[in-house]
Amino acid sequence: MDAVDASYVDNGALREQDGVPLPVFLADKDRAQLTGRGQPFFSGREREINAFRSMANALMLGRSGNATLIVEGPPGAGKSALMAQFQEEMRTLPPTGFGERHWLPVVLNGARAECPQAIGQAVDEAIAKRLAHDLLSATGADSADREERFRAFLGEGGARKAKQGIKTIAESMLQRGFSVMGFQLGADPSDLLEDIEAVSAKRSQQWNDWQIILLIDEAQGISGQVSGAVPGTLSSIHQGMVSAPLSFCAFGLPGTAEALSDVGVSRTSIGHDLPLSGLVDRASRMAVRRCFTQYGVAHAEAWERAILKRSANWPQHLATYLHAALTILQTNAPSPGVMGDARRSPLSEAITLGDAGRKAYYGRRLRGMTRDNPLFRDYAADLVEALPGADRPPLESELTRNIMQRHGVSVEVAADFLRKAKHNGLLETDDEGRCSMQIPSFANHLLGEAERSANGPATA
């Protein structure tokens, strides 16, 4: 079997996932996404995509599991976009196990990732939705084959006793959602599929048709203490001890690797631990140009420079300023859906609107930091004053000591503040414990300069 090319380089070209109608993109703001596809104008992240492809290559050699990626990053670093792109990658991968298994992404919240029942239900739901989608889009002989597969998944007894036809069941599943281990179709209790035991008995057989990748969101919340958790669940998946073709990728805030270690996932492979931060200049530029090209914005050089300057390569800010720019351009467009010449629209209005969105973002981050302790804002202001002027990047242990001495607090309070500062994007710590600030404009906001960006006044 041919390996997937793990030397991916983003060339900046438009892709199918970029084809979001402008009204949809504006309505969904920076989270516009086509169902089952990557986010529009996703750019760069070659290292991360190639790490995923390397993982896929290992699985395509016939192994069923033990290929885990851990993606850590503060809020706004682009974890959700990367998770969507991993799903897009799975759409194009050839089957694994010498053609026997098709790829199946399954999104699961980290808080439930140690619960076998929660994992089972999430996988069952993903399989059934895929089968339902395939059935409804199939025709002729292919339709009969897909219907047979769907009947096999549900169990003949359940399908036979249901009052609805099999295609209506599939349509209902897609429209309403369900949990296979005890689901109800429609609003009528008499539609309940009764052969739950038959469905459960077929689980292992049905799973073997798929190469299942759990995409664990908010993975920093993984815990063996929640109801239904079974110690060692993820560790068994990670080490390939489960019989099903099951692997996982974890996406979370800084501290995710430690959370995984707490539940027994401690063996990480070189290149599989992926700390996520800002984009490189080239990737940010490609994202802006993809967006303007998709929506037909002409003569946008000044707009591009201003957006790149204000966003400072931070994915969340880039999305905010792009949305602001398109909003103003659309307002001043000669006709709906036709952007035309960007020089006919006021760039200053777009930047002001983007600044307001960025300010609101910082406000949410600060509320997250100070909710339990309002004094954390004072600690943060001290931090952003001290870090830029330091002769060398301070260690986290040194920052802890400084907070304790300056504010007269315990080591537990100081450590809690630094943990929240990292989780909210204010502070970054490298593998050697050295600290830095990823987003300069966040520091300005904390110092009472929210109306003046570190990149200059709100003009082109």
Side-chain angles (χ1 to χ4, degrees), residues 153-173:
F153 179 79
L154 293 177
E156 286 295 337
R160 185 174 58 252
K161 293 175 184 176
K163 292 183 178 180
Q164 302 160 299
I166 194 73
K167 288 197 173 183
T168 307
I169 293 175
E171 186 175 16
S172 179
M173 286 180 175

mmCIF file of all heavy atoms in Angstrom, residues 153-173:
data_model
loop_
_atom_site.group_PDB
_atom_site.id
_atom_site.type_symbol
_atom_site.label_atom_id
_atom_site.label_comp_id
_atom_site.label_asym_id
_atom_site.label_seq_id
_atom_site.Cartn_x
_atom_site.Cartn_y
_atom_site.Cartn_z
ATOM 1 N N PHE A 153 -26.208 -2.856 10.872
ATOM 2 C CA PHE A 153 -25.789 -2.065 12.026
ATOM 3 C C PHE A 153 -26.906 -1.952 13.057
ATOM 4 O O PHE A 153 -26.684 -2.098 14.258
ATOM 5 C CB PHE A 153 -25.351 -0.666 11.577
ATOM 6 C CG PHE A 153 -24.920 0.216 12.718
ATOM 7 C CD1 PHE A 153 -23.653 0.074 13.274
ATOM 8 C CD2 PHE A 153 -25.770 1.166 13.258
ATOM 9 C CE1 PHE A 153 -23.256 0.860 14.333
ATOM 10 C CE2 PHE A 153 -25.381 1.954 14.309
ATOM 11 C CZ PHE A 153 -24.118 1.809 14.845
ATOM 12 N N LEU A 154 -28.125 -1.700 12.598
ATOM 13 C CA LEU A 154 -29.242 -1.544 13.523
ATOM 14 C C LEU A 154 -29.651 -2.867 14.164
ATOM 15 O O LEU A 154 -30.143 -2.891 15.289
ATOM 16 C CB LEU A 154 -30.458 -0.950 12.800
ATOM 17 C CG LEU A 154 -30.337 0.493 12.309
ATOM 18 C CD1 LEU A 154 -31.593 0.875 11.553
ATOM 19 C CD2 LEU A 154 -30.108 1.434 13.474
ATOM 20 N N GLY A 155 -29.462 -3.960 13.453
ATOM 21 C CA GLY A 155 -29.979 -5.237 13.917
ATOM 22 C C GLY A 155 -31.316 -5.492 13.243
ATOM 23 O O GLY A 155 -32.182 -4.616 13.207
ATOM 24 N N GLU A 156 -31.468 -6.675 12.665
ATOM 25 C CA GLU A 156 -32.686 -6.959 11.893
ATOM 26 C C GLU A 156 -33.942 -6.797 12.725
ATOM 27 O O GLU A 156 -34.955 -6.317 12.255
ATOM 28 C CB GLU A 156 -32.598 -8.370 11.316
ATOM 29 C CG GLU A 156 -31.627 -8.498 10.154
ATOM 30 C CD GLU A 156 -32.069 -7.701 8.951
ATOM 31 O OE1 GLU A 156 -33.271 -7.416 8.822
ATOM 32 O OE2 GLU A 156 -31.206 -7.338 8.132
ATOM 33 N N GLY A 157 -33.873 -7.209 14.006
ATOM 34 C CA GLY A 157 -35.068 -7.114 14.843
ATOM 35 C C GLY A 157 -35.520 -5.676 15.000
ATOM 36 O O GLY A 157 -36.693 -5.355 14.855
ATOM 37 N N GLY A 158 -34.546 -4.789 15.300
ATOM 38 C CA GLY A 158 -34.894 -3.386 15.487
ATOM 39 C C GLY A 158 -35.426 -2.764 14.227
ATOM 40 O O GLY A 158 -36.414 -2.033 14.244
ATOM 41 N N ALA A 159 -34.790 -3.048 13.103
ATOM 42 C CA ALA A 159 -35.239 -2.458 11.842
ATOM 43 C C ALA A 159 -36.617 -2.974 11.457
ATOM 44 O O ALA A 159 -37.439 -2.256 10.914
ATOM 45 C CB ALA A 159 -34.224 -2.765 10.748
ATOM 46 N N ARG A 160 -36.874 -4.254 11.738
ATOM 47 C CA ARG A 160 -38.149 -4.851 11.355
ATOM 48 C C ARG A 160 -39.288 -4.308 12.207
ATOM 49 O O ARG A 160 -40.398 -4.080 11.729
ATOM 50 C CB ARG A 160 -38.066 -6.375 11.497
ATOM 51 C CG ARG A 160 -39.317 -7.108 11.005
ATOM 52 C CD ARG A 160 -39.132 -8.612 11.041
ATOM 53 N NE ARG A 160 -38.801 -9.104 12.358
ATOM 54 C CZ ARG A 160 -37.611 -9.560 12.720
ATOM 55 N NH1 ARG A 160 -36.606 -9.568 11.847
ATOM 56 N NH2 ARG A 160 -37.377 -10.005 13.952
ATOM 57 N N LYS A 161 -39.016 -4.104 13.522
ATOM 58 C CA LYS A 161 -40.088 -3.686 14.423
ATOM 59 C C LYS A 161 -40.378 -2.195 14.327
ATOM 60 O O LYS A 161 -41.431 -1.748 14.759
ATOM 61 C CB LYS A 161 -39.711 -4.039 15.856
ATOM 62 C CG LYS A 161 -39.648 -5.554 16.093
ATOM 63 C CD LYS A 161 -39.150 -5.864 17.487
ATOM 64 C CE LYS A 161 -38.997 -7.368 17.693
ATOM 65 N NZ LYS A 161 -38.433 -7.698 19.008
ATOM 66 N N ALA A 162 -39.430 -1.437 13.813
ATOM 67 C CA ALA A 162 -39.674 -0.005 13.673
ATOM 68 C C ALA A 162 -40.798 0.235 12.675
ATOM 69 O O ALA A 162 -40.908 -0.451 11.670
ATOM 70 C CB ALA A 162 -38.406 0.700 13.195
ATOM 71 N N LYS A 163 -41.639 1.204 12.945
ATOM 72 C CA LYS A 163 -42.761 1.487 12.065
ATOM 73 C C LYS A 163 -42.326 2.214 10.798
ATOM 74 O O LYS A 163 -43.056 2.257 9.824
ATOM 75 C CB LYS A 163 -43.800 2.339 12.810
ATOM 76 C CG LYS A 163 -44.488 1.594 13.944
ATOM 77 C CD LYS A 163 -45.538 2.466 14.590
ATOM 78 C CE LYS A 163 -46.275 1.707 15.690
ATOM 79 N NZ LYS A 163 -47.305 2.534 16.332
ATOM 80 N N GLN A 164 -41.141 2.830 10.845
ATOM 81 C CA GLN A 164 -40.685 3.611 9.712
ATOM 82 C C GLN A 164 -39.868 2.753 8.764
ATOM 83 O O GLN A 164 -39.292 1.748 9.152
ATOM 84 C CB GLN A 164 -39.825 4.777 10.204
ATOM 85 C CG GLN A 164 -40.577 5.696 11.174
ATOM 86 C CD GLN A 164 -39.608 6.524 11.995
ATOM 87 O OE1 GLN A 164 -38.808 5.969 12.719
ATOM 88 N NE2 GLN A 164 -39.697 7.822 11.860
ATOM 89 N N GLY A 165 -39.796 3.170 7.506
ATOM 90 C CA GLY A 165 -38.921 2.515 6.558
ATOM 91 C C GLY A 165 -37.468 2.818 6.874
ATOM 92 O O GLY A 165 -37.155 3.779 7.577
ATOM 93 N N ILE A 166 -36.554 2.020 6.328
ATOM 94 C CA ILE A 166 -35.147 2.149 6.689
ATOM 95 C C ILE A 166 -34.577 3.500 6.260
ATOM 96 O O ILE A 166 -33.788 4.114 6.968
ATOM 97 C CB ILE A 166 -34.329 0.980 6.088
ATOM 98 C CG1 ILE A 166 -32.950 0.902 6.734
ATOM 99 C CG2 ILE A 166 -34.210 1.101 4.589
ATOM 100 C CD1 ILE A 166 -32.962 0.380 8.126
ATOM 101 N N LYS A 167 -35.014 4.026 5.094
ATOM 102 C CA LYS A 167 -34.505 5.321 4.667
ATOM 103 C C LYS A 167 -35.075 6.445 5.518
ATOM 104 O O LYS A 167 -34.413 7.450 5.768
ATOM 105 C CB LYS A 167 -34.816 5.553 3.179
ATOM 106 C CG LYS A 167 -33.979 4.683 2.250
ATOM 107 C CD LYS A 167 -33.991 5.200 0.836
ATOM 108 C CE LYS A 167 -33.018 4.403 -0.029
ATOM 109 N NZ LYS A 167 -32.939 4.921 -1.402
ATOM 110 N N THR A 168 -36.303 6.276 5.972
ATOM 111 C CA THR A 168 -36.882 7.286 6.858
ATOM 112 C C THR A 168 -36.159 7.286 8.198
ATOM 113 O O THR A 168 -35.963 8.335 8.810
ATOM 114 C CB THR A 168 -38.378 7.018 7.070
ATOM 115 O OG1 THR A 168 -39.007 6.909 5.802
ATOM 116 C CG2 THR A 168 -39.025 8.130 7.861
ATOM 117 N N ILE A 169 -35.779 6.091 8.677
ATOM 118 C CA ILE A 169 -34.994 6.006 9.909
ATOM 119 C C ILE A 169 -33.671 6.758 9.722
ATOM 120 O O ILE A 169 -33.255 7.544 10.576
ATOM 121 C CB ILE A 169 -34.723 4.543 10.291
ATOM 122 C CG1 ILE A 169 -36.040 3.853 10.679
ATOM 123 C CG2 ILE A 169 -33.728 4.450 11.428
ATOM 124 C CD1 ILE A 169 -35.884 2.379 10.955
ATOM 125 N N ALA A 170 -33.026 6.524 8.580
ATOM 126 C CA ALA A 170 -31.748 7.191 8.317
ATOM 127 C C ALA A 170 -31.925 8.710 8.302
ATOM 128 O O ALA A 170 -31.139 9.449 8.892
ATOM 129 C CB ALA A 170 -31.181 6.714 6.988
ATOM 130 N N GLU A 171 -32.980 9.172 7.648
ATOM 131 C CA GLU A 171 -33.228 10.607 7.579
ATOM 132 C C GLU A 171 -33.510 11.180 8.966
ATOM 133 O O GLU A 171 -33.033 12.263 9.326
ATOM 134 C CB GLU A 171 -34.402 10.874 6.645
ATOM 135 C CG GLU A 171 -34.642 12.357 6.395
ATOM 136 C CD GLU A 171 -35.734 12.580 5.360
ATOM 137 O OE1 GLU A 171 -36.477 11.632 5.085
ATOM 138 O OE2 GLU A 171 -35.831 13.700 4.843
ATOM 139 N N SER A 172 -34.274 10.450 9.762
ATOM 140 C CA SER A 172 -34.589 10.899 11.116
ATOM 141 C C SER A 172 -33.335 11.003 11.963
ATOM 142 O O SER A 172 -33.166 11.928 12.751
ATOM 143 C CB SER A 172 -35.584 9.937 11.772
ATOM 144 O OG SER A 172 -35.892 10.342 13.082
ATOM 145 N N MET A 173 -32.425 10.026 11.800
ATOM 146 C CA MET A 173 -31.177 10.056 12.570
ATOM 147 C C MET A 173 -30.368 11.306 12.242
ATOM 148 O O MET A 173 -29.824 11.968 13.127
ATOM 149 C CB MET A 173 -30.345 8.805 12.256
ATOM 150 C CG MET A 173 -30.877 7.547 12.893
ATOM 151 S SD MET A 173 -29.835 6.134 12.462
ATOM 152 C CE MET A 173 -30.611 4.867 13.456
#
